[in-house]
Amino acid sequence: MTPASGRGRHHMLGAFAAMLFVGVSWGANVPVSKVMLQHFDIVPMLAVRTLAAVGTLGVLLLLVEGIGNLRIEIGLKRFLLIGLMMSGFFIIFTLGIRFSNPISAAAVQVAGPLVAAVTVRLATGMRFDPGFGVALALTLAGGAILAAGSLFGRGALTLGGGEIVVLLSNALWTVYSLKAQAWFDKASQLHRAYVASLSAFGWMAFLSAGLVALGWSHSPFAVTDAWIWSQLLLVAVFASGMGAFLWNVGASRLGVAIASLWVNLVPFFAVLWSMTYGFMPNAYQIAGGLVALSGVVYMQWRKLQTTKR
């Protein structure tokens, strides 16, 4: 194996590790958000989460790259737009969670790569990679099994109506992901995630302050339960903060369409995390997660073979 091929292989393995972290952390986000919505209103909760994510990314960026890389250099228009896309996704996704149950919300996420692939195709005209069709078929099959379990499995909750909102939010996240790679020059993926999150917090803080002032939302600081706050901050740091950064790493190395296939790990881990919060899956949902996982493994195996050649 030549040094170049060795670097390429490690480059891909690093991307796979990043996307595995994304699957685990974003999987936790599904049931935790459902629980948090019993105590917080959507926008104020997201404002606090985004602030914690910005703090995490800012400290990490300061330690790794120095204070100079905290500067924003992409221009005001792009700065505002990239934050608007990220904050818009957060709101739409969480609104979908609000009107669904964690297991069924995880189920529809398996079809997320289809939405992402169509969005990338429309936005860039990029052709699908070899093996994408087989992997997509496996992930959709896993989604069908998960959905069947949500509808017909013993003790399963029925669909709540917000699942389609969760699914369609993937289109906005895909557009954000494309712009996060296109709008920066030579910035690191950590810097890109920090800038986007900082802008998103600005939008969230502005909207949250307005809603609270008008009496349409409650202040998040009215909640005093320490356990609730610990859950909120943990998911903010690991899902909103580190998850956003490592998603950028995977998307930059694999491409947005291929990285979106890794989102199919989210339902699998969401089911596991949901069990710790009292949302018990059935055999359909477990089997569906494993089938979806096989699609991801197949796609990445093809990607590794292409890299080796």
Side-chain angles (χ1 to χ4, degrees):
M1 183 171 61
T2 66
S5 64
R7 285 194 299 270
R9 187 179 183 85
H10 285 97
H11 189 77
M12 287 296 105
L13 290 175
F16 302 163
M19 296 310 296
L20 179 61
F21 182 93
V22 168
V24 173
S25 62
W26 287 6
N29 178 48
V30 175
V32 172
S33 293
K34 185 66 176 180
V35 172
M36 293 303 101
L37 288 171
Q38 298 173 11
H39 304 272
F40 297 96
D41 289 328
I42 290 177
V43 177
M45 178 191 75
L46 290 174
V48 172
R49 276 183 51 170
T50 311
L51 175 60
V54 170
T56 301
L57 294 169
V59 170
L60 189 59
L61 186 62
L62 179 65
L63 294 174
V64 174
E65 300 183 18
I67 193 170
N69 280 301
L70 294 175
R71 292 194 301 267
I72 311 301
E73 298 179 343
I74 64 169
L76 180 61
K77 181 179 179 180
R78 288 183 173 181
F79 175 72
L80 293 175
L81 284 176
I82 201 164
L84 182 61
M85 287 183 283
M86 177 179 272
S87 59
F89 165 77
F90 287 157
I91 292 174
I92 294 171
F93 179 85
T94 309
L95 184 66
I97 294 292
R98 169 68 178 81
F99 294 102
S100 61
N101 68 73
I103 302 296
S104 60
V108 300
Q109 277 290 88
V110 181
L114 180 60
V115 176
V118 172
T119 304
V120 171
R121 179 77 174 185
L122 292 174
T124 67
M126 185 183 300
R127 298 178 61 185
F128 302 130
D129 282 358
F132 185 87
V134 174
L136 184 58
L138 287 170
T139 57
L140 291 178
I145 296 171
L146 280 165
S150 296
L151 289 172
F152 307 118
R154 179 182 300 176
L157 298 173
T158 58
L159 297 172
E163 290 81 6
I164 188 63
V165 178
V166 171
L167 178 60
L168 294 179
S169 68
N170 285 276
L172 186 54
W173 182 257
T174 302
V175 174
Y176 154 74
S177 301
L178 292 170
K179 298 306 181 184
Q181 300 308 314
W183 282 357
F184 294 82
D185 186 12
K186 296 181 180 179
S188 68
Q189 298 303 324
L190 179 58
H191 178 80
R192 297 171 200 228
Y194 165 76
V195 170
S197 298
L198 180 63
S199 177
F201 169 68
W203 287 104
M204 291 289 192
F206 176 78
L207 182 56
S208 178
L211 291 173
V212 172
L214 291 171
W216 295 348
S217 291
H218 297 93
S219 170
F221 303 107
V223 178
T224 58
D225 189 308
W227 183 84
I228 296 298
W229 275 98
S230 70
Q231 301 300 294
L232 177 62
L233 294 177
L234 282 172
V235 80
V237 170
F238 290 103
S240 300
M242 296 304 298
F245 159 51
L246 291 173
W247 163 264
N248 281 355
V249 172
S252 68
R253 297 184 183 187
L254 302 173
V256 174
I258 302 303
S260 295
L261 280 172
W262 278 84
V263 174
N264 286 303
L265 288 175
V266 173
F268 180 70
F269 287 108
V271 169
L272 298 181
W273 282 111
S274 294
M275 294 171 65
T276 67
Y277 288 89
F279 302 101
M280 299 305 294
N282 54 40
Y284 290 92
Q285 293 153 344
I286 294 173
L290 292 174
V291 172
L293 179 62
S294 71
V296 174
V297 171
Y298 174 78
M299 188 73 242
Q300 301 316 315
W301 176 77
R302 289 295 303 272
K303 189 74 174 180
L304 277 174
Q305 295 304 308
T306 300
T307 301
K308 289 171 64 178
R309 288 195 297 269

